Amino acid sequence: QRQMCIRDRPRHARQRSITDIYHVMLRGIDRTVIFLENDDRQMFLNLLRQQASPEFKIYCYCLMTNHIHLILESQKLSKYMHHLATGYALWFNHKYARRGYLYQDRFKSEAIENESYLLQCFRYILQNPIKAGVCDNAHEYQWSSYNSYFSSANTFVYTNFLNLFFTTPKDFETYIATECSIKCIDIEDNTKMSYDLIRKIFKHKLKGRKITDLSKTESRQIVKELKKETRASLRLLSLITGMSIGVIRYL
């Protein structure tokens, strides 16, 4: 039986960008978590690095718990995204001994055809972790390309374009910190994770242990991470974790 990774759907022509630059989003099916731990995120970045080339320039990335944002430049977008998505899905399904679709349909994309929208999409993507409550500042988030810009470290991210818009790192930092009012392609905010999915994430974080066996510091850290990653209600988190609503509220 074929191991399914990407749901097959009728293919519709994508909007072609005159610049070959696109904002791309890939999301887990039914808000399925596609990164259960940091090793998963690192594997996706390894695959992304392997794809990087003059034919597939990576301007920006941000890996959230159940979806991914990218800004890419390529004349063969579908080809490269298919390799990237399929490679990761096969690895993920093998690692977690799961079968079935990992992604919700094919990746979504929107054309970026002017400098203004490029910068706005760029800021929108890097602000994703802040809007999700994962961090307070974009530079704090480890799994985006933010810290690749204005850095002397080697990176597969294409950063040369920034010199056209920002003279100093401070200019860049100020722009990214400014509130972004545009609405780009994203996951639906009104779609909630199921009880079973949140419980599965919680059990994975416990790694076979009982929360009552953990120290107060460790148990609260795990529930704090669960709260940020799932954005579930306090009542549901309390039901799943056994921790009081009053404690969870202030995590």
Side-chain angles (χ1 to χ4, degrees):
Q1 184 179 0
R2 181 173 66 96
Q3 185 179 45
M4 298 173 291
C5 301
I6 304 174
R7 175 176 292 180
D8 297 319
R9 290 278 188 168
R11 293 176 177 262
H12 302 288
R14 293 188 182 278
Q15 178 188 359
R16 182 67 186 267
S17 171
I18 59 175
T19 63
D20 292 324
I21 301 176
Y22 300 87
H23 172 201
V24 170
M25 188 196 71
L26 190 63
R27 58 179 176 166
I29 186 169
D30 296 328
R31 282 187 71 120
T32 292
V33 171
I34 56 180
F35 301 114
L36 280 167
E37 54 189 25
N38 286 344
D39 284 349
D40 303 340
R41 296 177 176 88
Q42 189 58 59
M43 172 55 72
F44 186 88
L45 291 186
N46 291 344
L47 294 171
L48 191 61
R49 181 183 293 106
Q50 291 172 17
Q51 295 289 323
S53 71
E55 288 191 344
F56 189 71
K57 290 182 180 178
I58 300 152
Y59 286 63
C60 182
Y61 67 81
C62 185
L63 313 186
M64 302 300 289
T65 304
N66 61 356
H67 67 288
I68 301 157
H69 285 282
L70 303 163
I71 294 180
L72 307 168
E73 180 181 350
S74 181
Q75 293 184 356
K76 300 176 180 179
L77 183 67
S78 293
K79 170 190 170 183
Y80 283 100
M81 281 303 301
H82 176 75
H83 288 167
L84 179 64
T86 301
Y88 180 74
L90 288 171
W91 178 86
F92 185 91
N93 280 359
H94 177 75
K95 177 180 177 180
Y96 294 106
R98 74 180 293 275
R99 300 182 70 85
Y101 303 112
L102 181 60
Y103 308 115
Q104 184 75 38
D105 307 324
R106 293 189 298 156
F107 66 92
K108 288 187 175 182
S109 66
E110 61 177 339
I112 297 177
E113 299 187 326
N114 59 66
E115 294 177 348
S116 174
Y117 196 59
L118 170 63
L119 287 178
Q120 290 181 78
C121 282
F122 185 73
R123 179 170 59 187
Y124 180 87
I125 290 171
L126 294 180
Q127 286 186 358
N128 248 239
I130 300 172
K131 293 177 181 177
V134 178
C135 59
D136 295 323
N137 297 287
H139 70 83
E140 297 171 351
Y141 191 62
Q142 180 182 357
W143 304 105
S144 82
S145 53
Y146 183 98
N147 292 307
S148 299
Y149 310 110
F150 294 101
S151 169
S152 59
N154 291 331
T155 177
F156 62 88
V157 178
Y158 179 72
T159 62
N160 293 351
F161 74 101
L162 285 182
N163 295 325
L164 299 174
F165 307 105
F166 305 106
T167 305
T168 66
K170 185 63 178 177
D171 293 337
F172 167 73
E173 180 182 338
T174 300
Y175 178 78
I176 298 301
T178 305
E179 184 176 354
C180 185
S181 59
I182 66 165
K183 180 64 178 176
C184 300
I185 53 173
D186 212 329
I187 61 172
E188 295 82 359
D189 292 335
N190 61 352
T191 306
K192 302 298 182 183
M193 287 188 185
S194 68
Y195 169 89
D196 289 340
L197 180 54
I198 297 171
R199 188 167 178 270
K200 180 179 178 181
I201 298 170
F202 179 56
K203 288 180 68 176
H204 182 80
K205 287 181 177 295
L206 291 177
K207 300 185 184 300
R209 302 166 296 175
K210 295 181 180 179
I211 195 166
T212 52
D213 295 335
L214 306 180
S215 67
K216 181 185 291 186
T217 300
E218 189 174 6
S219 63
R220 290 189 175 188
Q221 180 60 35
I222 286 175
V223 177
K224 182 179 180 180
E225 291 174 1
L226 190 71
K227 179 182 176 182
K228 285 186 175 183
E229 291 174 8
T230 65
R231 289 181 286 172
S233 68
L234 297 180
R235 179 179 174 277
L236 185 57
L237 288 171
S238 178
L239 181 64
I240 291 172
T241 66
M243 192 173 287
S244 72
I245 291 176
V247 171
I248 297 173
R249 178 178 284 112
Y250 295 103
L251 291 178

